[in-house]
Amino acid sequence: MTPYQILGLGSFIPAKSLSNDDLAKIVDTDDEWIVTRTGIRSRHVLDDSQNTSDMGALAAQQALNNAHISPDQITHVIVSTCSPDHLCPNTACLVSYQLGIKGAMAFDLNAACSGFLYGLEVAGGILANRPDAVVLFVCAEALTRRVNWEDRTTCVLFGDGAAAAVLARSPQGLAQVTEVCCHADGRSPDPLSIGGGTAFHVKNGDPVDENFFIRMEGREVYRNGVRRMTEMCVQILEKTGLTTEDIDVIIPHQANLRIVESVASRLKAPMNKVFVNLDRFGNTSAASVPIALHEAMEAGRIPAGARVLLTAFGGGFTYGSAILQFSAPDAAD
Ligand code: ACO
C-alpha cells in the first residue's frame, strides 16, 4: 500500500460512568462474574442530550487541533459506526455540519468493531488516488442506546465513546500507516446483530422487541475473535517481513481481557507489550482501537520511533490489522 501519515488524534469519552455494581442493580449479575469473564469494571454512557455524531464531532475537533488542520482543509470525512444517529442522513454529514466542514465528501462505514482498520484501508485508497486529500476519520459508537438492559449476557459488555484521526500524505506526522489488512466472513443467521434496519419490520405505533437490540452468541463470537485477530496479526507480520519481536506495542480491540490474553499468548507476545483499557471503557466497538491508541499515546506508552500493531474483530464477521510506525524523536520535534 501507499503509506500515509496520522497527523493528529483526538478522543471523547462521555462523563457518566456505570460500574459493575451499578449494573447489578438493573440485571441479575455481579462484579465478580463480569470481571472474571471479561475484565470489564466500568463503562461510560452517553448523556440523553447527545448522540453518536456529537461524540464524533468532539473527538474530531480535538484531532483537528492536534494536527493543526482547519475544517476548510478537510476533503473527506469518514465515520465508522454501527450505531449511527439515523439510517439517513449519514453521521459523517452531521459531524461535518457541526465542525463547519463544507463541500467535503462525507460517508459512513460500518464494519462493527473492525471499523478503525477498515477506515484506515479506505482512507489509504483515497490518499493513493488523491495525494492532496486530507481525510478526517472518525470512529464513534453509542452502543448503550442499542443494549437490551434486560439481557445480562450483552448489557454488561458495551460502552460509548469516540475517537478521530486526521490522515494525509505528508513527510511528517505522529505516525505512518505502513500496512493494513482487512477481511470479512459473512454469516447468516448472524451470531452478532443490532436491529433497527429494514429487516426489522415495524409500523408506526408498533412496540420494539428483542430483535431491535444487540444480540450475540457470546461463545461463537469469542472463538472467532481469538482465531481471526491472531490470523490477522500473523498475516500482516508476514506481509511486512516482521516478527512479534519487532513490535513494540500491540493495541487490540478492547472486547474481553480473556480474548486479548489468548491472542497475545498465541502470538507469543508478553502482556506488557499489550495496551488494555477495556476495564474502564468496556467494548466501544469501532471506537475501541483508536480510543486505546490515543490513550496509550497520551499516557506515554508509545515511545518515539515505536512500531505498533493494531488488530480488531467484530460483527459480520469483520476483522483486520494495521502496522503504524511512530515518528523518531527528531522527526516528531
Ligand atoms: N452475569 C452473571 N451471569 C451471566 C452473565 C452476567 N452478566 N452473562 C451470562 N451469565 C451466565 C449465563 O447465563 C451462563 O449461565 P448458565 O451456565 O447457567 O447457562 C453462564 O453465565 C455462562 O455463560 P457463557 O455465555 O457461556 O459465558 P462465557 O464464559 O462465554 O462469557 C461472554 C460470555 C463474556 C459474552 C464471552 O462469550 C465473550 O466475551 N464473547 C465475545 C464478545 C466479543 O468479543 N464481542 C466482540 C464483538 S462486539 C461487536 O462487533 C459490536
Side-chain angles (χ1 to χ4, degrees), residues 199-220:
F200 182 77
H201 296 229
V202 63
K203 297 190 301 297
N204 190 14
D206 281 355
V208 295
D209 63 23
E210 62 183 16
N211 296 317
F212 188 65
F213 301 102
I214 296 175
R215 289 182 306 144
M216 184 171 71
E217 291 168 34
R219 287 189 178 182
E220 172 80 350

Side-chain angles (χ1 to χ4, degrees), residues 64-84:
L64 289 172
N65 296 346
N66 184 233
H68 305 292
I69 292 284
S70 60
D72 59 4
Q73 292 175 269
I74 296 298
T75 58
H76 297 74
V77 180
I78 307 172
V79 174
S80 260
T81 185
C82 59
S83 49

Side-chain angles (χ1 to χ4, degrees), residues 89-175:
N90 69 43
T91 316
C93 283
L94 301 176
V95 169
S96 302
Y97 173 75
Q98 286 204 36
L99 295 174
I101 295 171
K102 294 194 192 305
M105 177 175 169
F107 65 97
D108 286 6
L109 184 164
N110 179 351
C113 304
S114 310
F116 189 62
L117 286 316
Y118 268 60
L120 290 182
E121 173 79 9
V122 170
I126 292 169
L127 292 164
N129 194 35
R130 297 187 181 277
D132 294 336
V134 183
V135 179
L136 177 62
F137 174 35
V138 179
C139 294
E141 299 280 17
L143 282 176
T144 66
R145 293 270 166 90
R146 278 296 172 278
V147 152
N148 178 354
W149 294 105
E150 292 174 5
D151 176 10
R152 68 176 181 173
T153 67
T154 53
C155 77
V156 301
L157 303 173
F158 297 98
D160 301 331
V166 178
L167 310 172
R169 298 268 291 278
S170 164
Q172 274 188 20
L174 298 178

Side-chain angles (χ1 to χ4, degrees), residues 233-250:
C233 292
V234 170
Q235 185 181 113
I236 204 162
L237 289 172
E238 283 177 2
K239 200 170 171 184
T240 50
L242 300 169
T243 67
T244 306
E245 285 78 49
D246 298 317
I247 300 297
D248 300 295
V249 182
I250 300 175

